[in-house]
Amino acid sequence: ITRSAMLAKSPISAACYSRLPQHRVKPANANHDMTVSYPPASTLDVWDDFEPGKTYLLDTFAIDASQCAAFATAFGGTTDGRPSPVFMTARLMRAVTDGYLADAQGLGAGGVTHVDWPTAAPLGEPLTATMLCESKRALNSRPGVGLTVLRYDVTTARGDCVISWRANQFLRIAGSHMDTGRSGATPE
């Protein structure tokens, strides 16, 4: 699947990689409704569960000034009540962990390969954290281990991207000698 095909399937996340003025979403389909429904990421357990080109919901949340100030007091930074890039990074990591990672059969991460904060997060407005599976492959060097390339985005209800990550995640392949007994198919 090509990157443009993935972006077409995930119009909200597309805002995070477009370099349009003010980083606004410009869906390919002008009649597109920005209230897209995604399956929950909490259903993902093993490598086999991830579908390239599919976007999953991690979390929906809003940020208030007291959260930003408490974070700045605890970890340093300005206490002006605005969400800093470091605050948004921590909040996205919380969404990733709670959304699927804490319960998945993860085997570590190959690192975050891209981070972008194209626009400041608004206070009090609903934000949506999503995860797009860009690609996946079984590792020849480590039987029973699969690699997924994932893109995590947090967007406003208007489609503005406030943070975007691209990261690699290693996961168990179901049915492998490393399997913990949960169901799933082994890749060909």
Side-chain angles (χ1 to χ4, degrees):
I1 188 164
T2 66
R3 179 173 175 254
S4 59
M6 283 187 285
L7 291 176
K9 289 184 177 183
S10 181
I12 289 179
S13 296
C16 293
Y17 282 88
S18 68
R19 285 303 187 198
L20 299 170
Q22 295 141 13
H23 302 282
R24 294 282 301 157
V25 173
K26 301 293 183 190
N29 176 357
N31 298 322
H32 175 72
D33 179 4
M34 292 306 293
T35 57
V36 178
S37 178
Y38 297 113
S42 59
T43 61
L44 303 171
D45 180 38
V46 292
W47 177 83
D48 310 71
D49 297 336
F50 288 77
E51 185 180 325
K54 191 166 186 175
T55 299
Y56 302 91
L57 177 65
L58 294 169
D59 194 9
T60 56
F61 57 93
I63 298 167
D64 63 42
S66 66
Q67 294 170 324
C68 299
F71 184 87
T73 300
F75 301 104
T78 64
T79 56
D80 61 4
R82 292 180 300 153
S84 68
V86 175
F87 174 88
M88 287 308 301
T89 301
R91 186 59 187 88
L92 178 54
M93 190 66 235
R94 171 69 3 191
V96 169
T97 301
D98 293 346
Y100 85 99
L101 195 56
D103 296 322
Q105 295 186 48
L107 299 172
V112 174
T113 60
H114 172 85
V115 178
D116 190 21
W117 301 275
T119 189
L123 294 176
E125 292 186 28
L127 300 172
T128 302
T130 58
M131 173 182 67
L132 169 67
C133 178
E134 290 189 339
S135 64
K136 71 178 197 174
R137 67 181 176 89
L139 298 181
N140 292 329
S141 60
R142 293 196 54 202
V145 178
L147 172 69
T148 56
V149 178
L150 305 169
R151 191 176 79 221
Y152 304 102
D153 300 323
V154 175
T155 54
T156 66
R158 293 179 311 276
D160 296 322
C161 180
V162 298
I163 184 171
S164 178
W165 288 353
R166 178 177 281 135
N168 301 310
Q169 179 68 46
F170 298 105
L171 295 149
R172 283 193 174 95
I173 294 175
S176 69
H177 70 281
M178 297 168 63
D179 189 37
T180 60
R182 297 176 184 173
S183 64
T186 304
E188 298 176 9

